[in-house]
Amino acid sequence: MAGGNSNYWEDLRKQARQLENELDLKLVSFSKLCTSYSSSRDGRRGGDSSDTTPLLNNSTQDRMFEAMSVEIEQLLAKLTGINDKMAEYSSTPGVTSHNAALMHTLQRHRDIHQDYTHEFHKTKSNFLAIREREDLLGSVRKDIETYKSGSGVNNRRTELFLKEHEHLRNSDRLMEDTISIAMATKENMTSQRGFLKSIQSRVNTLANRFPAINSLIQRINLRKRRDSLILGGVIGVCTILLLLYAFH
């Protein structure tokens, strides 16, 4: 019976890790779709003045966005169900002797689920904001072109308005590049955080099994904290001396 319970727990963990890996890949693709949406529309506005091609491309990207959103939401719902089953198993009377380790593993999977949910909603909100902004800029550009074709005269006011619109679009492009860099950095940090969490989980498991290792880790942490305080004090003193020298 104990072996069957152990196999059931390991099967749940395997399913949870598989869903987490799928979510990680889906979220990376979802983030790339968000960052490429605006740049692709800029390219089409600059290289193709027809109305049909941009509409078709935009419609395709919108369908991809909706499909990927549904897939990610379904994966998150499945991961929630697996975590609930793991929580139900950990509260079974027959596995109370391993309850601490099981709860630690369950909490780690819940934290990963929470991080993925937060990242999904944030990326989705950024995508919708970029799409709304691009639609607004496209509408303004269309109104300008309609006005130009209707009047047939490029007066001074229209030229100034076009220049201002171009400045706004350049600023918007710079902001989107900054957002892309920030999102790429976030993806890298998320990956590193998951790796560090895995290492920390293994270290905690070893520390719980071997009290001597736990004591050694505590001494190392105390020494690191002391070294950090000393280093901070030295940096503070050096900064004060530099400021005194600069303003002398």
Side-chain angles (χ1 to χ4, degrees):
M1 185 64 181
N5 289 337
S6 177
N7 291 335
Y8 178 70
W9 173 258
E10 290 300 325
D11 183 65
L12 290 176
R13 288 191 62 188
K14 183 179 179 181
Q15 294 180 42
R17 287 193 297 266
Q18 182 178 358
L19 288 172
E20 289 167 358
N21 291 334
E22 292 180 13
L23 276 168
D24 186 68
L25 294 176
K26 290 289 185 182
L27 287 173
V28 171
S29 301
F30 195 62
S31 178
K32 289 181 180 179
L33 176 65
C34 177
T35 55
S36 64
Y37 182 80
S38 178
S39 59
S40 63
R41 293 190 63 169
D42 282 341
R44 290 194 298 269
R45 283 201 300 265
D48 188 1
S49 60
S50 64
D51 292 333
T52 57
T53 301
L55 288 175
L56 290 174
N57 290 336
N58 293 342
S59 178
T60 301
Q61 285 188 318
D62 290 339
R63 287 196 299 269
M64 290 176 59
F65 168 75
E66 297 296 338
M68 293 183 68
S69 296
V70 172
E71 291 177 0
I72 294 174
E73 288 174 351
Q74 290 176 349
L75 289 174
L76 289 172
K78 290 181 180 178
L79 185 57
T80 300
I82 295 298
N83 288 341
D84 291 339
K85 291 181 180 179
M86 294 173 69
E88 181 180 359
Y89 174 82
S90 63
S91 61
T92 303
V95 294
T96 53
S97 59
H98 305 285
N99 190 54
L102 298 183
M103 291 303 297
H104 175 76
T105 302
L106 175 60
Q107 184 60 41
R108 183 164 62 87
H109 285 292
R110 283 177 170 172
D111 291 341
I112 293 174
H113 177 272
Q114 184 178 3
D115 291 340
Y116 283 160
T117 302
H118 176 74
E119 182 177 354
F120 167 66
H121 289 302
K122 185 174 182 180
T123 305
K124 184 177 181 180
S125 298
N126 290 337
F127 183 95
L128 294 175
I130 291 174
R131 185 171 65 179
E132 182 179 2
R133 184 171 63 251
E134 288 295 320
D135 290 339
L136 179 61
L137 290 175
S139 176
V140 172
R141 182 181 178 87
K142 185 176 181 180
D143 291 340
I144 294 173
E145 291 176 353
T146 302
Y147 175 78
K148 286 173 59 179
S149 61
S151 62
V153 178
N154 291 328
N155 55 29
R156 180 63 177 171
R157 180 177 298 176
T158 302
E159 292 178 359
L160 292 176
F161 189 77
L162 287 173
K163 289 181 179 180
E164 184 66 23
H165 173 68
E166 187 66 23
H167 291 160
L168 290 174
R169 197 173 70 170
N170 291 335
S171 300
D172 186 67
R173 187 181 297 110
L174 290 175
M175 183 175 62
E176 289 167 359
D177 292 340
T178 304
I179 292 174
S180 300
I181 294 173
M183 294 186 69
T185 304
K186 179 181 179 297
E187 292 176 4
N188 188 19
M189 293 181 66
T190 300
S191 177
Q192 293 180 4
R193 180 176 59 185
F195 180 71
L196 291 175
K197 281 185 177 180
S198 177
I199 294 177
Q200 183 180 6
S201 176
R202 295 177 183 177
V203 171
N204 290 335
T205 302
L206 290 175
N208 292 330
R209 291 182 179 178
F210 304 99
I213 296 178
N214 190 16
S215 178
L216 177 61
I217 292 175
Q218 290 180 357
R219 290 199 298 269
I220 291 174
N221 290 333
L222 289 175
R223 179 166 294 181
K224 286 173 61 179
R225 190 178 296 110
R226 184 193 63 186
D227 292 342
S228 298
L229 291 175
I230 293 174
L231 180 61
V234 172
I235 293 175
V237 172
C238 292
T239 303
I240 293 173
L241 292 177
L242 287 173
L243 290 174
L244 291 175
Y245 178 77
F247 292 101
H248 187 269

